[in-house]
Amino acid sequence: MKKGLILLMVMFILFMMGTEFYILNSTSSIIAAETNIYFLEADKDNLFSSVKALLDMKKYRSGEEIDLNTKELAWEGSKTTIKIENPKKAVINIFSKRGTQEINTQKEFNLQ
């Protein structure tokens, strides 16, 4: 009788530990997903600011398409292209991926 009670207590403790691990795993997955989202937003803002600074420094011709090397600016899965539509307008495409989440943004920028 005493051995059966001890066995039930051990099984209950193992069940409680399994439940705790499940809850911790779920919570950490949510936190990791939110961290990736904030990281991608910061990555996008960083790339957009860098492109704006580049466009302010140098003049480009209409119809020109520029594919920027972003290896040192952003995450490995990032890609940035600029298309100069006319002398006063550029379209910036920013793609960034981290894990299973990705962000793809297209912004128009007025050149000075």
Side-chain angles (χ1 to χ4, degrees), residues 32-80:
E34 288 179 5
T35 302
N36 283 343
I37 290 169
Y38 289 122
F39 182 87
L40 289 173
E41 287 291 328
D43 198 29
K44 177 189 74 163
D45 293 342
N46 181 31
L47 288 172
F48 185 67
S49 298
S50 299
V51 168
K52 282 191 342 186
L54 177 72
L55 289 175
D56 287 341
M57 288 177 14
K58 190 173 178 185
K59 300 293 179 195
Y60 294 98
R61 291 173 286 164
S62 295
E64 192 171 358
E65 194 164 323
I66 304 132
D67 188 18
L68 295 178
N69 181 3
T70 58
K71 286 183 182 177
E72 294 183 16
L73 285 175
W75 188 252
E76 290 178 17
S78 298
K79 183 177 180 183
T80 303

Side-chain angles (χ1 to χ4, degrees), residues 25-43 98-103:
N25 184 30
S26 299
T27 305
S28 64
S29 296
I30 292 168
I31 291 171
E34 288 179 5
T35 302
N36 283 343
I37 290 169
Y38 289 122
F39 182 87
L40 289 173
E41 287 291 328
D43 198 29
R98 184 172 183 176
T100 58
Q101 295 173 324
E102 58 186 45
I103 193 165

